[in-house]
Amino acid sequence: MRYFGGAKAAAGTPSERVALAPGTSVDDLVATLTATHGDALARVLAASSFLLDKVAVHERSVAVDDGAVLDVLPPSAGG
């Protein structure tokens, strides 16, 4: 896991390793992270997009393979 922006602040870390069972989906991982880090991260994750090994995740049902990197990209405002 790599967190950026508000996700990094909500998780309290820029990155972490998470042990996953075979077949774990992005949605499953989001549920695990919410249980671990609480409501602040849950709110950020609900609005975030994800990159799985540098490829945009369009369906959160996609499986996260062992050793994969999932980036959490919260929405950002800018000019």
Side-chain angles (χ1 to χ4, degrees):
M1 294 297 312
R2 294 191 309 182
Y3 301 105
F4 296 91
K8 181 168 70 171
T13 184
S15 65
E16 66 181 309
R17 291 187 174 272
V18 180
L20 302 175
T24 297
S25 69
V26 172
D27 260 343
D28 297 332
L29 185 49
V30 166
T32 297
L33 296 170
T34 296
T36 302
H37 295 287
D39 291 339
L41 185 59
R43 286 189 295 276
V44 174
L45 293 174
S48 293
S49 58
F50 300 90
L51 297 178
L52 181 58
D53 290 333
K54 300 182 183 180
V55 176
V57 172
H58 297 289
E59 298 292 330
R60 290 188 178 191
S61 60
V62 67
V64 181
D65 295 327
D66 186 41
V69 175
L70 186 70
D71 293 326
V72 179
L73 307 171
S76 61

Coordinates of all heavy atoms in Angstrom, one line a residue:
M1 N 0.8 -1.2 0.0 CA 0.0 0.0 0.0 C 0.9 1.2 0.0 O 1.8 1.3 0.8 CB -0.9 0.0 1.3 CG -1.9 -1.0 1.4 SD -3.1 -1.1 0.2 CE -3.7 0.6 0.1
R2 N 0.5 2.2 -0.8 CA 1.2 3.5 -0.8 C 0.0 4.5 -0.7 O -0.9 4.5 -1.5 CB 2.0 3.7 -2.0 CG 3.2 2.8 -2.1 CD 4.3 3.1 -3.1 NE 3.7 3.3 -4.4 CZ 4.4 3.6 -5.5 NH1 5.7 3.8 -5.4 NH2 3.8 3.8 -6.7
Y3 N 0.2 5.4 0.2 CA -0.9 6.4 0.4 C -0.3 7.8 0.0 O 0.9 8.1 0.2 CB -1.2 6.5 1.9 CG -1.7 5.2 2.5 CD1 -0.9 4.5 3.3 CD2 -3.0 4.8 2.2 CE1 -1.4 3.3 3.9 CE2 -3.5 3.7 2.8 CZ -2.7 2.9 3.6 OH -3.2 1.7 4.2
F4 N -1.2 8.6 -0.6 CA -0.8 9.9 -1.0 C -1.8 10.9 -0.5 O -3.0 10.6 -0.2 CB -0.8 10.0 -2.6 CG 0.3 9.1 -3.2 CD1 0.0 7.8 -3.5 CD2 1.6 9.6 -3.3 CE1 1.0 7.0 -4.0 CE2 2.6 8.7 -3.9 CZ 2.3 7.4 -4.2
G5 N -1.3 12.2 -0.3 CA -2.2 13.3 0.1 C -2.9 13.0 1.4 O -2.4 12.5 2.4
G6 N -4.3 13.2 1.4 CA -5.1 13.0 2.6 C -5.1 11.6 3.0 O -5.3 11.3 4.2
A7 N -4.9 10.6 2.1 CA -4.9 9.2 2.5 C -3.7 8.9 3.4 O -3.8 8.2 4.4 CB -4.8 8.3 1.3
K8 N -2.5 9.6 3.1 CA -1.3 9.4 3.9 C -1.6 10.0 5.3 O -1.2 9.3 6.3 CB -0.1 10.1 3.3 CG 1.1 9.9 4.0 CD 2.4 10.4 3.2 CE 2.4 11.8 3.0 NZ 3.7 12.3 2.4
A9 N -2.2 11.1 5.4 CA -2.5 11.7 6.7 C -3.5 10.9 7.5 O -3.3 10.6 8.7 CB -3.1 13.1 6.5
A10 N -4.5 10.4 6.8 CA -5.6 9.6 7.5 C -5.0 8.2 8.0 O -5.4 7.7 9.1 CB -6.8 9.3 6.6
A11 N -4.1 7.6 7.2 CA -3.5 6.3 7.6 C -2.4 6.5 8.6 O -2.1 5.6 9.3 CB -3.0 5.6 6.4
G12 N -1.8 7.7 8.7 CA -0.7 7.9 9.6 C 0.6 7.4 9.1 O 1.5 7.2 9.9
T13 N 0.7 7.0 7.8 CA 1.9 6.4 7.3 C 1.9 6.6 5.8 O 0.8 6.6 5.2 CB 2.0 4.9 7.6 OG1 3.3 4.4 7.2 CG2 0.9 4.1 7.1
P14 N 3.0 6.7 5.1 CA 3.1 6.9 3.7 C 2.9 5.5 3.0 O 2.5 5.5 1.8 CB 4.4 7.5 3.4 CG 5.3 7.1 4.5 CD 4.4 7.0 5.7
S15 N 3.2 4.4 3.7 CA 3.0 3.1 3.0 C 3.0 2.0 4.1 O 3.4 2.3 5.3 CB 4.2 2.8 2.1 OG 5.4 2.8 2.8
E16 N 2.5 0.9 3.7 CA 2.5 -0.3 4.6 C 2.3 -1.5 3.8 O 1.9 -1.5 2.7 CB 1.4 -0.2 5.7 CG 0.0 -0.2 5.1 CD -1.1 -0.1 6.2 OE1 -1.0 -0.8 7.2 OE2 -2.0 0.8 6.0
R17 N 2.8 -2.6 4.4 CA 2.6 -4.0 3.8 C 1.3 -4.6 4.5 O 1.1 -4.5 5.7 CB 3.8 -4.9 4.1 CG 5.0 -4.4 3.3 CD 6.1 -5.5 3.5 NE 7.2 -5.2 2.7 CZ 7.4 -5.6 1.4 NH1 6.5 -6.3 0.9 NH2 8.4 -5.2 0.7
V18 N 0.5 -5.2 3.7 CA -0.7 -5.9 4.1 C -0.6 -7.3 3.6 O -0.5 -7.6 2.5 CB -1.9 -5.2 3.6 CG1 -3.2 -5.8 4.1 CG2 -1.9 -3.7 4.0
A19 N -0.8 -8.3 4.6 CA -0.9 -9.7 4.2 C -2.3 -10.0 3.6 O -3.3 -9.6 4.2 CB -0.6 -10.6 5.4
L20 N -2.3 -10.6 2.4 CA -3.6 -10.9 1.8 C -3.8 -12.3 1.5 O -2.8 -13.0 1.2 CB -3.6 -10.1 0.4 CG -3.4 -8.6 0.4 CD1 -3.3 -8.1 -1.0 CD2 -4.5 -8.0 1.2
A21 N -5.0 -12.8 1.6 CA -5.4 -14.1 1.3 C -5.5 -14.2 -0.3 O -5.8 -13.2 -0.9 CB -6.7 -14.5 1.9
P22 N -5.3 -15.3 -0.9 CA -5.5 -15.4 -2.3 C -6.9 -15.0 -2.7 O -7.9 -15.3 -2.0 CB -5.3 -16.9 -2.6 CG -4.4 -17.4 -1.5 CD -4.8 -16.6 -0.3
G23 N -7.0 -14.3 -3.8 CA -8.3 -13.8 -4.3 C -8.8 -12.5 -3.6 O -9.9 -12.1 -3.9
T24 N -8.0 -11.9 -2.8 CA -8.4 -10.7 -2.1 C -8.6 -9.6 -3.2 O -7.8 -9.4 -4.0 CB -7.4 -10.2 -1.1 OG1 -7.3 -11.2 -0.1 CG2 -7.8 -8.9 -0.5
S25 N -9.8 -8.9 -3.2 CA -10.1 -7.9 -4.1 C -9.7 -6.5 -3.5 O -9.4 -6.4 -2.3 CB -11.5 -7.9 -4.5 OG -12.3 -7.4 -3.3
V26 N -9.7 -5.5 -4.4 CA -9.5 -4.1 -3.9 C -10.5 -3.8 -2.9 O -10.2 -3.2 -1.8 CB -9.5 -3.1 -5.1 CG1 -9.4 -1.7 -4.6 CG2 -8.3 -3.4 -6.0
D27 N -11.8 -4.1 -3.1 CA -12.8 -3.9 -2.1 C -12.5 -4.6 -0.8 O -12.7 -4.0 0.3 CB -14.2 -4.4 -2.6 CG -15.0 -3.2 -3.2 OD1 -14.7 -2.1 -2.9 OD2 -16.0 -3.6 -3.9
D28 N -12.1 -5.8 -0.8 CA -11.7 -6.5 0.4 C -10.6 -5.8 1.2 O -10.6 -5.7 2.4 CB -11.2 -8.0 0.1 CG -12.3 -8.8 -0.5 OD1 -13.5 -8.6 -0.3 OD2 -11.9 -9.8 -1.3
L29 N -9.6 -5.3 0.4 CA -8.5 -4.6 1.0 C -8.9 -3.3 1.6 O -8.5 -2.9 2.7 CB -7.4 -4.4 0.0 CG -6.1 -3.8 0.4 CD1 -5.5 -4.5 1.7 CD2 -5.1 -3.8 -0.7
V30 N -9.8 -2.6 0.9 CA -10.4 -1.4 1.5 C -11.1 -1.6 2.8 O -10.9 -0.9 3.8 CB -11.3 -0.7 0.5 CG1 -12.2 0.4 1.1 CG2 -10.5 -0.1 -0.7
A31 N -11.8 -2.7 2.9 CA -12.5 -3.1 4.2 C -11.5 -3.4 5.3 O -11.7 -3.0 6.4 CB -13.4 -4.3 3.9
T32 N -10.4 -4.1 4.9 CA -9.4 -4.4 5.9 C -8.7 -3.1 6.4 O -8.5 -2.9 7.6 CB -8.3 -5.3 5.3 OG1 -8.9 -6.5 4.9 CG2 -7.2 -5.6 6.2
L33 N -8.4 -2.2 5.5 CA -7.8 -0.9 5.9 C -8.7 -0.1 6.7 O -8.3 0.6 7.6 CB -7.3 -0.2 4.6 CG -6.3 -0.9 3.8 CD1 -6.1 -0.1 2.5 CD2 -5.0 -0.9 4.5
T34 N -10.0 -0.1 6.4 CA -11.0 0.7 7.2 C -11.0 0.1 8.6 O -11.0 0.9 9.6 CB -12.3 0.6 6.5 OG1 -12.3 1.2 5.2 CG2 -13.4 1.3 7.3
A35 N -11.0 -1.2 8.7 CA -11.0 -1.8 10.1 C -9.8 -1.5 10.8 O -9.8 -1.3 12.1 CB -11.2 -3.3 9.9
T36 N -8.7 -1.4 10.2 CA -7.4 -1.1 10.8 C -7.2 0.3 11.2 O -6.8 0.6 12.3 CB -6.2 -1.6 9.9 OG1 -6.4 -2.9 9.6 CG2 -4.9 -1.3 10.5
H37 N -7.6 1.2 10.3 CA -7.3 2.7 10.5 C -8.5 3.5 10.9 O -8.3 4.7 11.2 CB -6.6 3.2 9.2 CG -5.3 2.6 8.9 ND1 -4.1 2.9 9.7 CD2 -4.9 1.7 8.0 CE1 -3.1 2.3 9.2 NE2 -3.5 1.5 8.2
G38 N -9.7 3.0 10.7 CA -10.8 3.8 11.2 C -11.5 4.7 10.2 O -11.2 4.6 9.0
D39 N -12.4 5.5 10.7 CA -13.3 6.3 9.9 C -12.7 7.3 9.0 O -13.1 7.6 7.9 CB -14.4 6.9 10.8 CG -15.4 6.0 11.4 OD1 -15.5 4.8 10.8 OD2 -16.0 6.3 12.4
A40 N -11.6 7.9 9.6 CA -10.9 9.0 8.8 C -10.4 8.4 7.4 O -10.6 9.0 6.4 CB -9.8 9.6 9.6
L41 N -9.8 7.3 7.5 CA -9.3 6.7 6.3 C -10.4 6.1 5.4 O -10.4 6.2 4.2 CB -8.3 5.5 6.5 CG -7.6 4.9 5.3 CD1 -6.9 6.0 4.5 CD2 -6.7 3.8 5.7
A42 N -11.5 5.6 6.1 CA -12.6 5.1 5.3 C -13.2 6.2 4.5 O -13.6 5.9 3.3 CB -13.7 4.6 6.3
R43 N -13.4 7.4 5.0 CA -13.9 8.5 4.2 C -13.0 8.8 3.0 O -13.5 9.1 1.9 CB -14.1 9.7 5.1 CG -15.3 9.6 6.0 CD -15.6 10.9 6.7 NE -14.5 11.4 7.6 CZ -14.3 11.0 8.8 NH1 -15.2 10.1 9.4 NH2 -13.3 11.4 9.6
V44 N -11.7 8.8 3.2 CA -10.8 9.1 2.1 C -10.9 8.0 1.1 O -10.9 8.2 -0.1 CB -9.4 9.3 2.6 CG1 -8.4 9.4 1.5 CG2 -9.3 10.5 3.6
L45 N -10.8 6.7 1.5 CA -10.9 5.6 0.6 C -12.1 5.6 -0.3 O -12.1 5.2 -1.4 CB -10.7 4.3 1.3 CG -9.4 4.0 2.0 CD1 -9.4 2.8 2.8 CD2 -8.3 4.0 1.0
A46 N -13.3 6.0 0.3 CA -14.5 6.0 -0.4 C -14.5 6.9 -1.6 O -15.2 6.7 -2.6 CB -15.7 6.3 0.6
A47 N -13.7 8.0 -1.5 CA -13.6 9.0 -2.6 C -12.4 8.8 -3.5 O -12.2 9.5 -4.4 CB -13.7 10.4 -2.0
S48 N -11.5 7.9 -3.1 CA -10.2 7.7 -3.8 C -10.3 6.9 -5.1 O -11.2 6.1 -5.2 CB -9.2 7.1 -2.9 OG -8.9 8.0 -1.8
S49 N -9.3 7.1 -5.9 CA -9.1 6.2 -7.0 C -7.8 5.4 -6.7 O -7.1 5.7 -5.7 CB -8.9 6.9 -8.3 OG -7.9 7.8 -8.3
F50 N -7.6 4.3 -7.4 CA -6.5 3.4 -7.1 C -5.7 3.0 -8.3 O -6.3 2.9 -9.4 CB -7.1 2.1 -6.5 CG -7.8 2.3 -5.2 CD1 -9.2 2.5 -5.2 CD2 -7.2 2.3 -4.0 CE1 -9.9 2.7 -4.1 CE2 -7.9 2.5 -2.8 CZ -9.3 2.7 -2.9
L51 N -4.4 2.8 -8.1 CA -3.6 2.2 -9.1 C -3.1 0.9 -8.6 O -2.6 0.9 -7.5 CB -2.4 3.2 -9.4 CG -2.6 4.5 -10.0 CD1 -1.3 5.3 -10.2 CD2 -3.4 4.4 -11.3
L52 N -3.2 -0.1 -9.4 CA -2.7 -1.4 -9.0 C -1.5 -1.7 -10.0 O -1.7 -1.9 -11.2 CB -3.8 -2.5 -9.2 CG -3.4 -3.9 -8.8 CD1 -2.9 -4.0 -7.4 CD2 -4.6 -4.8 -9.0
D53 N -0.3 -1.7 -9.4 CA 0.9 -1.9 -10.2 C 0.9 -0.9 -11.3 O 1.2 -1.2 -12.5 CB 1.1 -3.3 -10.7 CG 1.4 -4.3 -9.5 OD1 2.0 -3.8 -8.5 OD2 1.1 -5.5 -9.6
K54 N 0.6 0.4 -11.0 CA 0.7 1.5 -11.9 C -0.4 1.5 -13.0 O -0.3 2.3 -14.0 CB 2.1 1.6 -12.6 CG 3.2 1.8 -11.6 CD 4.5 2.0 -12.3 CE 5.6 2.1 -11.2 NZ 6.9 2.2 -11.9
V55 N -1.4 0.7 -12.8 CA -2.6 0.6 -13.8 C -3.8 1.0 -13.1 O -4.1 0.5 -12.0 CB -2.7 -0.8 -14.4 CG1 -3.9 -0.8 -15.3 CG2 -1.5 -1.2 -15.1
A56 N -4.6 1.9 -13.6 CA -5.8 2.4 -13.0 C -6.8 1.3 -12.7 O -7.0 0.4 -13.6 CB -6.5 3.4 -13.9
V57 N -7.4 1.3 -11.6 CA -8.4 0.3 -11.2 C -9.8 0.8 -11.5 O -10.1 1.9 -11.0 CB -8.3 0.0 -9.7 CG1 -9.5 -0.9 -9.2 CG2 -7.0 -0.7 -9.3
H58 N -10.5 0.2 -12.4 CA -11.8 0.6 -12.8 C -12.9 -0.2 -12.1 O -14.0 0.3 -12.0 CB -12.0 0.5 -14.3 CG -11.0 1.4 -15.1 ND1 -11.1 2.8 -15.1 CD2 -9.9 1.1 -15.8 CE1 -10.2 3.3 -15.8 NE2 -9.4 2.3 -16.2
E59 N -12.6 -1.4 -11.6 CA -13.5 -2.2 -10.9 C -12.8 -2.7 -9.6 O -11.8 -3.3 -9.6 CB -13.9 -3.5 -11.7 CG -14.6 -3.2 -13.0 CD -16.0 -2.6 -12.8 OE1 -16.6 -3.0 -11.8 OE2 -16.4 -1.8 -13.7
R60 N -13.4 -2.3 -8.5 CA -12.8 -2.7 -7.2 C -12.9 -4.2 -6.9 O -12.4 -4.6 -5.9 CB -13.5 -1.8 -6.1 CG -13.1 -0.4 -6.2 CD -13.5 0.4 -4.9 NE -13.1 1.7 -5.0 CZ -13.2 2.6 -4.0 NH1 -13.7 2.2 -2.8 NH2 -12.7 3.8 -4.1
S61 N -13.5 -4.9 -7.8 CA -13.6 -6.4 -7.6 C -12.4 -7.1 -8.1 O -12.2 -8.3 -7.9 CB -14.8 -6.9 -8.3 OG -14.8 -6.7 -9.7
V62 N -11.5 -6.3 -8.7 CA -10.2 -6.9 -9.3 C -9.4 -7.5 -8.1 O -9.3 -6.9 -7.0 CB -9.4 -5.9 -10.1 CG1 -8.9 -4.8 -9.3 CG2 -8.3 -6.6 -10.9
A63 N -8.7 -8.6 -8.4 CA -7.9 -9.2 -7.3 C -6.6 -8.5 -7.2 O -6.0 -8.1 -8.2 CB -7.7 -10.7 -7.7
V64 N -6.1 -8.5 -6.0 CA -4.7 -7.9 -5.7 C -3.8 -9.1 -5.5 O -3.9 -9.8 -4.5 CB -4.8 -7.0 -4.5 CG1 -3.4 -6.4 -4.2 CG2 -5.8 -5.9 -4.7
D65 N -2.9 -9.3 -6.4 CA -2.0 -10.4 -6.3 C -0.9 -10.2 -5.2 O -0.5 -9.0 -4.9 CB -1.3 -10.7 -7.6 CG -2.3 -11.2 -8.7 OD1 -3.2 -11.9 -8.3 OD2 -2.0 -10.9 -9.8
D66 N -0.3 -11.3 -4.7 CA 0.8 -11.2 -3.7 C 1.9 -10.4 -4.3 O 2.3 -10.6 -5.5 CB 1.2 -12.6 -3.3 CG 2.2 -12.6 -2.2 OD1 2.1 -11.8 -1.3 OD2 3.2 -13.3 -2.3
G67 N 2.4 -9.4 -3.6 CA 3.5 -8.6 -4.0 C 3.1 -7.4 -4.9 O 4.0 -6.6 -5.3
A68 N 1.8 -7.2 -5.1 CA 1.4 -6.1 -5.9 C 1.5 -4.8 -5.1 O 1.5 -4.9 -3.9 CB -0.1 -6.3 -6.4
V69 N 1.5 -3.7 -5.8 CA 1.5 -2.4 -5.1 C 0.2 -1.7 -5.5 O -0.1 -1.5 -6.6 CB 2.7 -1.5 -5.6 CG1 2.6 -0.1 -4.9 CG2 4.0 -2.2 -5.2
L70 N -0.5 -1.3 -4.4 CA -1.8 -0.6 -4.6 C -1.6 0.9 -4.1 O -1.2 1.1 -2.9 CB -2.9 -1.2 -3.8 CG -4.3 -0.6 -4.1 CD1 -4.8 -0.9 -5.5 CD2 -5.3 -1.1 -3.1
D71 N -1.7 1.8 -5.0 CA -1.6 3.2 -4.7 C -3.0 3.8 -4.4 O -3.9 3.6 -5.2 CB -0.9 4.0 -5.8 CG 0.5 3.6 -6.0 OD1 1.2 3.3 -5.1 OD2 0.9 3.7 -7.2
V72 N -3.1 4.6 -3.3 CA -4.4 5.2 -3.0 C -4.2 6.7 -3.4 O -3.4 7.4 -2.9 CB -4.7 5.1 -1.5 CG1 -6.0 5.8 -1.2 CG2 -4.8 3.7 -1.1
L73 N -5.1 7.1 -4.3 CA -5.0 8.5 -4.8 C -6.3 9.3 -4.5 O -7.3 9.1 -5.2 CB -4.8 8.5 -6.3 CG -3.6 7.7 -6.8 CD1 -3.7 7.5 -8.3 CD2 -2.3 8.3 -6.4
P74 N -6.3 10.0 -3.4 CA -7.5 10.8 -3.0 C -7.7 11.9 -4.0 O -6.8 12.3 -4.7 CB -7.2 11.3 -1.6 CG -5.7 11.1 -1.4 CD -5.2 10.2 -2.4
P75 N -9.0 12.4 -4.1 CA -9.2 13.5 -4.9 C -8.5 14.7 -4.4 O -8.2 14.8 -3.3 CB -10.8 13.7 -4.8 CG -11.2 13.0 -3.6 CD -10.1 11.9 -3.3
S76 N -8.1 15.6 -5.4 CA -7.4 16.8 -5.0 C -8.0 18.0 -5.7 O -8.5 17.9 -6.7 CB -5.9 16.6 -5.3 OG -5.7 16.5 -6.7
A77 N -7.9 19.1 -5.0 CA -8.3 20.3 -5.6 C -7.1 21.1 -5.9 O -6.0 21.0 -5.3 CB -9.1 21.1 -4.5
G78 N -7.1 21.8 -7.0 CA -6.0 22.6 -7.4 C -6.3 23.6 -8.4 O -7.5 23.7 -8.9
G79 N -5.4 24.3 -8.8 CA -5.6 25.4 -9.8 C -4.6 25.3 -10.9 O -3.8 24.5 -11.0

